[in-house]
Amino acid sequence: MSVKSVTHLNFRGDARAALTFYQSVFGGDVAMVTYKDAGDVQDPAEADQVMWGQVTAASGFHVMAYDVPARLPYNRGETAFFISLRGDAAEEITGYWDKLAAGATVVQPLGPAQWASLYGMLTDRFGVTWVVDVVSDYNAS
């Protein structure tokens, strides 16, 4: 079993440009899935925005990013990042989720998602937002 935490940056329409820029700085590979790619278009104007993206480099650099849909609150100064906690074992991830959830505000309950066998989001009692998931072939890193 293994688990890894990654900084997850949030944007309002700039995720593609940011990921491309970070790749130009750090090298490595960039991967992006749009809302259209994932079949999760709720606003046609946002279909080509990034639902999930990342840059990974051989140096160990790794950052994830997405475009926050207009229907969700976004404040560049307050919700500019999440911590993404990814693992390959549901039991391990569920254990971390259960502990993080103590005193937290659950944004998205832990459960199956189109892109992961388990996915959830919560803001812990210290105000830090965590995106927790079990890596699938769809978005493995």
Side-chain angles (χ1 to χ4, degrees), residues 5 32 49 63 69 72 83 93 97 114 121 138:
S5 66
M32 289 182 248
Q49 290 187 356
V63 67
L72 298 177
I83 296 179
I93 289 300
W97 172 269
Q114 285 180 287
M121 180 189 298
Y138 184 71

Side-chain angles (χ1 to χ4, degrees), residues 28-39:
D29 299 313
V30 66
M32 289 182 248
V33 175
T34 65
Y35 287 95
K36 180 171 52 180
D37 295 336

